[in-house]
Amino acid sequence: MCGIVGYIGGQPAAPFLVEGLTRLEYRGYDSAGIAVLSRDAKAKEKTTAVRTVGRVRELEAALPKRLAGRVGIGHTRWATHGPAAERNAHPHRSADGRISVVHNGIIDNAASLRAALEDAGVEFASDTDTEVVAHLVARSEADSLEAAVLEALGRVSGTYALAVMDERHPDRIVVARSGSPLIIGVGDKEMFIASDAAALVRHTDRAVHLDDGELATVTATGFHTFDQYANATERTPVQLAVAVEDLELSGHEHYMSKEMREQPEAAETVLRGRLDERFATARLDGLMLDPRELRSFRRVKILGCGSAYYVGQMGAQMIEDLARIPADAEAASEFRYRQPIIETDTLYVVVSQSGETADTAFAVNEIRRKGGRVVGLVNVVGSTIAREVDGGIYLHAGPEIAVASTKALTNMGLAFGLLALHLGRLRDLSHADGLRILRGLERIPGQIREVFESEERIREVAGRIAGAQSAFYIGRVRGFPVAREGAQKFKEISYVHAEAYQTSELKHGPLALITPEMPTIAVIPDDELAERNIAAAEQVLARKGPLVAVSHPGVDLARLGVETITVPKNEPELDPILLTIPTQLLAYHAAVALGHDVDKPRNLAKSVTVE
């Protein structure tokens, strides 16, 4: 959610810190700051710290012209404790200025630690939970920075990714991780620290991903990892799977626009090598489950947050349709708090673009602690969830920068199609039906391209509804998750209130809100419920409600005279994947028409690493 960067080596640290923070802007933040250790041993101030509210460009403008220190840490903050203000921006420092800390996550017992420190005479300069760590490290009487950090963390409960600098030990940065990602980039006589590989790719292609409970001492010449008991651990750098060009706009106005247009290629990538025509099934070796194990599951439970939850609902319907196994989706953020019953004959599937979504990662821990089998649909290799699950399906959508997920979401839907096909063919799905679904999956990349041929019309429709105060999205059975995801996209980037309802529920209350000022976006697939969906649309029109239909060529809507966005027809089980694409475009063009920052919607973050 927040961003951490750090540098130690032979070059000035500030340029990397600023560049790295800029690369992490997509994660969402409201303030930024850096702290750099001076090269001048006689300098009155050994640490130069600059913090600003707003974008990284404001931070860069506020930096001294000469900032030559070769050790530094930086941070972009998404407010949790205390408002967006300079005093709350990171890095936070100890009272004597010796210790500087940047932190992602939440210190659960910060209030009690703060009270104890204040009783001991410590004066706090911020409202944050992070500042307690700086004071705890500074007050330690340990002989080394590593020991002081360990002592401080022994008093802390919560989640954290930390980077700590000490003026007494200017040759090192100590980092620690528990529940929030942290990566060490390995260079040539220089080392990098980041919470996301995007900050590293211009400088190194080798990195070490810390595990939960692991710490490291990072110097210009290398790193040493150890656990919470100071025992050495073994870490080997791995190749980063992100290229610099993947993170560029490449001529597009917004990352969201670029990523939507990358969907056909991303879809081809997730399907490549996974379609088995001979047996009319999917090859999913990454699940690490043999046919006998897969047949033993009597239920599938899918967990995700936000858009991942809604695509999980699509996936549950696919699994029930094709495999005839009871399946349902649930918000991962609520899962562990309702004392869930973990069943050994249930296959748990967690979904996360970043692989770092805190609520979903905690759900994985709960399932594994109680003996459940959990697999993941994750986009980022080496991420927390990818390493914690028993197996899974990598989405291979490529880096996704815009906060609103598009290509990763589509690949999640395709991955569920593969999983449903695989499970179905292990049970009662016929070879003919398996081949039907396989052919349907093969058609999807080309059909996504067809949707974009209607983009200009979709832009015009979006411009007409952008000025509304509220909007309804409605859909039924397979169409309902499409409506939920559509409403999510519309509200998060256009800031227009949007709600999703099952079409059948309109008459049970929401119809009272239909007015000429309240547009309704109706998902009407060409399926067995098409006539019922059309009847509901007529109820909206009878009350003079503006209506936009997202539908198929075979649905007769001409007699209603409504605005229709037509989507190519695929197999009924796979149609929701394609029906989602126009809702992305509607949201995007509405947000553009309203002049909003499409890639960085207010108050939101790309990877939600706090509860």
Side-chain angles (χ1 to χ4, degrees):
M1 185 165 262
C2 307
I4 285 176
V5 292
Y7 176 85
I8 184 166
Q11 304 297 320
F16 168 78
L17 299 178
V18 171
E19 179 201 321
L21 293 179
T22 301
R23 292 280 185 187
L24 299 184
E25 283 190 305
Y26 75 96
R27 294 176 70 88
Y29 68 100
D30 46 54
S31 58
I34 67 171
V36 176
L37 282 178
S38 172
R39 295 178 59 190
D40 185 356
K42 298 180 181 179
K44 184 177 180 181
E45 293 287 338
K46 292 184 178 180
T47 302
T48 300
V50 181
R51 305 180 297 179
T52 60
V53 174
R55 300 297 189 196
V56 173
R57 59 178 176 267
E58 276 92 35
L59 171 67
E60 186 174 16
L63 295 178
K65 291 185 178 179
R66 294 186 178 182
L67 191 55
R70 297 178 181 179
V71 184
I73 54 178
H75 189 268
T76 51
R77 176 178 185 257
W78 187 84
T80 55
H81 293 68
E86 185 178 334
R87 71 179 185 280
N88 292 326
H90 296 218
H92 289 288
R93 301 174 69 185
S94 57
D96 59 3
R98 178 172 64 88
I99 301 295
S100 299
V101 177
V102 291
H103 165 229
N104 289 351
I106 291 179
I107 306 300
D108 293 334
N109 62 338
S112 60
L113 290 172
R114 186 185 187 104
L117 287 165
E118 287 176 333
D119 288 344
V122 174
E123 293 186 9
F124 279 76
S126 77
D127 307 313
T128 68
D129 54 338
T130 303
E131 191 181 348
V132 301
V133 178
H135 294 305
L136 289 173
V137 173
R139 290 172 64 84
S140 170
E141 297 181 359
D143 294 334
S144 67
L145 178 58
E146 291 83 350
V149 172
L150 281 171
E151 181 183 318
L153 294 182
R155 298 182 61 184
V156 162
S157 63
T159 58
Y160 53 79
L162 288 165
V164 184
M165 283 192 323
D166 184 350
E167 292 178 351
R168 293 179 185 172
H169 302 279
D171 64 336
R172 66 194 58 200
I173 301 171
V174 173
V175 298
R177 175 213 163 119
S178 180
S180 194
L182 201 62
I183 306 168
I184 301 170
V186 179
D188 181 14
K189 296 182 181 178
E190 59 182 357
M191 300 290 287
F192 311 91
I193 296 159
S195 53
D196 188 305
L200 305 177
V201 292
R202 284 196 68 248
H203 302 274
T204 181
D205 60 358
R206 294 190 304 143
V208 171
H209 296 261
L210 293 185
D211 279 338
D212 275 352
E214 197 167 29
L215 299 88
T217 301
V218 183
T219 65
T221 56
F223 65 93
H224 164 69
T225 56
F226 53 98
D227 64 19
Q228 57 192 320
Y229 306 107
N231 299 314
T233 57
E234 293 295 327
R235 282 277 159 228
T236 302
V238 297
Q239 197 82 8
L240 289 173
V242 183
V244 175
E245 53 269 23
D246 294 333
L247 305 174
E248 304 294 345
L249 274 169
S250 304
H252 294 274
E253 186 177 358
H254 302 101
Y255 280 106
M256 185 176 176
S257 175
K258 175 183 183 242
E259 289 156 11
M260 285 191 296
R261 285 161 179 76
E262 289 173 344
Q263 287 178 107
E265 292 74 24
E268 289 168 347
T269 302
V270 76
L271 296 175
R272 188 173 297 130
R274 286 172 165 163
L275 298 178
D276 185 339
E277 186 166 347
R278 179 183 177 190
F279 295 105
T281 189
R283 296 192 190 97
L284 299 175
D285 297 336
L287 292 177
M288 308 301 288
L289 291 164
D290 63 35
R292 185 183 297 274
E293 290 174 300
L294 283 168
R295 281 186 60 86
S296 70
F297 294 117
R298 297 170 61 86
R299 183 181 300 275
V300 177
K301 167 72 77 173
I302 300 167
L303 301 168
C305 295
S307 293
Y309 167 37
Y310 303 141
V311 80
Q313 289 185 309
M314 296 181 200
Q317 185 67 53
M318 290 184 210
I319 290 167
E320 289 202 343
D321 284 344
L322 297 177
R324 307 307 298 156
I325 310 170
D328 71 299
E330 181 177 341
S333 53
E334 294 291 296
F335 180 72
R336 70 181 179 132
Y337 291 109
R338 63 171 184 79
Q339 297 183 339
I341 298 168
I342 304 300
E343 301 168 308
T344 56
D345 60 356
T346 294
L347 175 63
Y348 295 89
V349 183
V350 297
V351 194
S352 169
Q353 185 281 137
S354 66
E356 303 292 352
T357 310
D359 291 310
T360 309
F362 293 144
V364 172
N365 294 336
E366 182 76 3
I367 294 163
R368 296 195 68 190
R369 187 176 65 82
K370 294 182 176 179
R373 194 67 177 263
V374 57
V375 297
L377 272 58
V378 174
N379 195 39
V380 180
V381 176
S383 59
T384 298
I385 293 171
R387 288 182 288 135
E388 291 294 325
V389 293
D390 297 307
I393 305 172
Y394 276 118
L395 302 177
H396 296 303
E400 193 174 63
I401 306 301
V403 167
S405 181
T406 53
K407 62 178 181 174
L409 182 79
T410 297
N411 278 23
M412 289 174 192
L414 288 165
F416 275 120
L418 292 168
L419 179 61
L421 172 61
H422 187 56
L423 292 172
R425 289 291 290 132
L426 288 173
R427 286 172 167 78
D428 300 323
L429 189 70
S430 69
H431 186 280
D433 270 335
L435 204 57
R436 175 177 63 84
I437 297 301
L438 187 148
R439 296 285 183 246
L441 290 166
E442 288 177 330
R443 292 198 301 274
I444 283 179
Q447 289 178 316
I448 294 174
R449 293 185 178 97
E450 288 182 48
V451 174
F452 277 89
E453 293 174 5
S454 303
E455 183 173 5
E456 182 57 29
R457 281 198 61 252
I458 296 171
R459 184 189 67 77
E460 293 172 0
V461 174
R464 286 195 284 274
I465 65 175
Q469 293 297 308
S470 290
F472 273 148
Y473 279 70
I474 59 173
R476 201 165 179 181
V477 187
R478 296 188 187 102
F480 181 50
V482 178
R484 297 193 77 181
E485 169 55 22
Q488 168 96 346
K489 281 287 180 293
F490 201 73
K491 74 181 72 170
E492 70 182 340
I493 62 172
S494 75
Y495 312 147
V496 174
H497 172 250
E499 281 192 81
Y501 278 95
Q502 286 135 326
T503 306
S504 54
E505 285 293 299
L506 262 186
K507 59 186 176 290
H508 295 294
L511 206 58
L513 294 176
I514 296 297
T515 68
E517 290 74 40
M518 169 80 84
T520 297
I521 294 85
V523 181
I524 307 179
D526 183 10
D527 61 14
E528 67 279 7
L529 293 170
E531 288 304 320
R532 292 183 181 274
N533 282 323
I534 291 171
E538 289 185 291
Q539 293 174 33
V540 172
L541 294 171
R543 288 152 181 85
K544 296 182 170 54
L547 190 134
V548 176
V550 179
S551 190
H552 288 136
V555 179
D556 181 15
L557 295 167
R559 58 189 167 86
L560 301 183
V562 301
E563 191 81 60
T564 303
I565 299 168
T566 304
V567 179
K569 182 81 175 77
N570 198 289
E571 301 304 325
E573 299 88 346
L574 302 176
D575 279 333
I577 300 170
L578 287 163
L579 289 165
T580 302
I581 307 297
T583 69
Q584 299 173 356
L585 287 164
L586 272 175
Y588 172 76
H589 285 295
V592 170
L594 292 166
H596 297 320
D597 188 340
V598 175
D599 292 331
K600 306 182 191 75
R602 66 188 183 205
N603 303 332
L604 299 179
K606 180 64 177 173
S607 177
V608 185
T609 56
V610 298
E611 286 196 90

